[in-house]
Amino acid sequence: METDSRSGWQGKGSLEELMRERIRATIETIVDEELEGALGAARSRRVGLVRVGYRHGKRERTLTTSLGATTIAMPRARIEGADGRRREWRSRIIPRYQRRTERVDEAILGVYLSGTNTRRLRGALAPLLRGAPLSKDAVSRLVGRLREDFAAWAQRDLGELKVRYLFLDGWYPRVRIGKKRVRVPVLVTLGVCANGQRVVLDLRLAGAESEQAWLDAVRSLAARNLGAPRLAVIDGNPGLAAALKVQWPKLAIQRCTNHKLWNLLAKAPAHLREELAEDYRRMIYATSREAVEKARVAFLRKWKLRCNAVSASFEEAGDELFTFSAFPLAQWKALRTTNALERINEEFRRRTKTQASLPNEEAVLFLLFGLLRSGQITLRRLVGWHDLTTSQVEAA
């Protein structure tokens, strides 16, 4: 490696080399502390019955981190089990056969699922891998592990979450099927737990965003012990509303107020749209239930005279456009729209905006799941979650 004669420091890459040295020392310290806890004693200390095993050397282990491949000295030890037999100690922090950190694996999966083959993947991630091996089999194992993790996640029990509200919507990413690029619906269900935390409950592909497809989704939620939620926030899809009513007949439905505004604007002449949006927002964002109802009456009376198509579309939504007003005022901002789901979709679009399409349908679910699992999509608590226990509308 080159040396800068003016400073005496190594040239290109010297900072990374220093950082890798520190990372190696830190990893070795962490693993050594883990082993000390397992043995019940520090190195060379004998503490009678507390000690349950002994070290017996080290072996080199190459681990690829986000700063490249780092070779560490992995300690070895034999530990006595409850049955009195001694076994080789296994680290839980760096499991056996692990050669890359989870962050590196997530990067590899993200690039691969975007449609990149293994050869190009190695080239794209060369600065990260820094010569560390990456075979087709290794990538296949990562994808297989992700598939298994997704299957377990999609079947997990939901009872402990104590879900109070649901947000449901369909999203249409573009994928390659055969030689064609087509849009396929992904049905996404978001739940709000009793502590206010938002959690993605279900992701699934469907042939169409139909009543039957949504019915399969909500029945799956019920089979996984979801319980009866108090409220579902949806767009104007009639199949989704019908499916929810089949599963939970007394479930309160809130139609997304943003979706309805877009519908109304599409019905209005161009010169009336600004006035229409102003009247609509004044009604939706009123600060009391009484004020909302008063503005609703005035809105309908005015727009029946100004534009019959607008009033007809508005009346189509009925009371479901104002269900939020039966809930605590602090939650109105969060319950009026499906914006929480839109943010997830926007994050996914941001990660894939440079691609014309994804390589297959499976990649859509895996990419979304991978972003959630890795924490790259973060979900905040519901605004007004402290008032969840005082919600006025109850489902049977």
Side-chain angles (χ1 to χ4, degrees):
M1 184 177 292
E2 296 180 358
T3 301
D4 190 329
S5 59
R6 293 171 297 177
S7 63
W9 286 93
Q10 290 178 321
K12 183 179 179 181
S14 62
L15 179 60
E16 290 185 350
E17 291 295 334
L18 290 170
M19 292 175 69
R20 273 198 296 278
E21 284 296 325
R22 294 195 177 187
I23 285 175
R24 175 167 58 188
T26 301
I27 293 172
E28 290 177 349
T29 299
I30 292 171
V31 174
D32 203 57
E33 290 174 353
E34 180 192 13
L35 178 55
E36 284 184 11
L39 292 174
R43 186 190 299 274
S44 303
R45 291 187 180 177
R46 291 172 172 77
V47 288
L49 297 176
V50 177
R51 178 181 282 279
V52 294
Y54 293 89
R55 299 170 182 265
H56 65 97
K58 297 183 178 181
R59 66 159 62 94
E60 284 193 344
R61 176 90 163 267
T62 300
L63 182 70
T64 302
T65 70
S66 57
L67 281 174
T70 301
T71 300
I72 62 173
M74 195 74 180
R76 303 178 66 186
R78 291 189 181 92
I79 294 181
E80 187 175 305
D83 57 1
R85 298 177 61 184
R86 289 198 172 182
R87 298 177 177 84
E88 189 72 14
W89 172 74
R90 304 295 182 198
S91 171
R92 294 186 178 182
I93 295 173
I94 305 178
R96 192 180 186 187
Y97 304 124
Q98 181 177 344
R99 294 295 181 265
R100 295 172 302 273
T101 60
E102 291 182 2
R103 188 171 183 179
V104 174
D105 281 348
E106 293 292 347
I108 292 170
L109 279 169
V111 176
Y112 178 77
L113 291 172
S114 297
T116 304
N117 62 36
T118 306
R119 179 177 58 81
R120 291 179 177 175
L121 190 152
R122 280 197 296 265
L125 297 180
L128 180 63
L129 297 173
R130 294 186 67 87
L134 181 66
S135 65
K136 289 183 179 180
D137 288 343
V139 175
S140 295
R141 285 194 296 271
L142 281 176
V143 174
R145 193 185 312 154
L146 181 64
R147 184 179 289 109
E148 291 173 1
D149 290 348
F150 177 77
W153 176 86
Q155 297 171 13
R156 73 198 190 284
D157 189 283
L158 302 174
E160 293 184 359
L161 295 178
K162 297 180 173 60
V163 173
R164 298 293 184 261
Y165 305 152
L166 295 178
F167 290 74
L168 307 98
D169 200 1
W171 177 55
Y172 289 77
R174 191 181 293 275
V175 303
R176 286 194 297 271
I177 299 179
K179 296 183 178 181
K180 294 184 178 181
R181 293 189 178 104
V182 297
R183 293 194 179 276
V184 296
V186 178
L187 310 185
V188 185
T189 304
L190 180 76
V192 177
C193 306
N195 64 358
Q197 185 60 51
R198 292 185 174 107
V199 180
V200 176
L201 304 175
D202 192 64
L203 297 169
R204 64 180 57 218
L205 291 164
E209 198 180 350
S210 62
E211 178 180 346
Q212 186 57 53
W214 275 115
L215 188 56
D216 290 342
V218 297
R219 281 176 173 168
S220 171
L221 295 172
R224 291 157 57 197
N225 301 317
L226 177 73
R230 299 172 182 171
L231 173 72
V233 184
I234 67 174
D235 63 5
N237 186 295
L240 171 53
L244 288 168
K245 287 297 186 180
V246 169
Q247 183 61 43
W248 298 296
K250 296 185 180 180
L251 174 67
I253 301 289
Q254 168 63 47
R255 291 275 294 273
C256 176
T257 56
N258 278 353
H259 280 80
K260 178 48 69 176
L261 175 58
W262 300 333
N263 292 342
L264 296 179
L265 292 174
K267 304 287 185 182
H271 70 282
L272 293 177
R273 287 173 187 167
E274 185 176 347
E275 182 182 356
L276 170 61
E278 184 178 342
D279 289 349
Y280 183 85
R281 293 190 179 105
R282 187 183 301 114
M283 168 183 60
I284 294 298
Y285 295 116
T287 55
S288 70
R289 191 171 186 179
E290 293 73 18
V292 169
E293 187 58 33
K294 182 178 179 181
R296 177 183 178 182
V297 172
F299 181 92
L300 185 57
R301 183 187 304 119
K302 174 180 178 178
W303 287 97
K304 270 189 174 181
L305 298 174
R306 302 296 300 276
C307 182
N308 190 57
V310 167
S311 66
S313 179
F314 177 72
E315 288 183 289
E316 176 274 327
D319 293 338
E320 289 182 350
L321 196 61
F322 301 93
T323 305
F324 70 88
S325 65
F327 286 78
L329 180 62
Q331 297 177 9
W332 284 15
K333 179 181 178 181
L335 299 184
R336 281 189 293 245
T337 70
T338 57
N339 281 359
L341 278 174
E342 292 298 325
R343 292 190 188 99
I344 296 175
N345 294 342
E346 286 171 8
E347 180 65 20
F348 187 83
R349 291 188 191 100
R350 188 175 72 82
R351 301 302 174 105
T352 58
K353 65 183 178 182
T354 58
Q355 299 166 238
S357 61
L358 290 166
N360 53 56
E361 294 175 273
E362 189 179 59
V364 176
L365 295 180
F366 286 177
L367 266 178
L368 272 170
F369 175 64
L371 291 173
L372 290 168
R373 186 180 65 170
S374 64
Q376 295 178 67
I377 292 179
T378 56
L379 300 172
R380 294 172 294 180
R381 284 186 176 183
L382 181 91
V383 175
W385 67 272
H386 292 288
D387 294 327
L388 271 169
T389 57
T390 63
S391 296
Q392 299 172 32
V393 178
E394 297 287 340

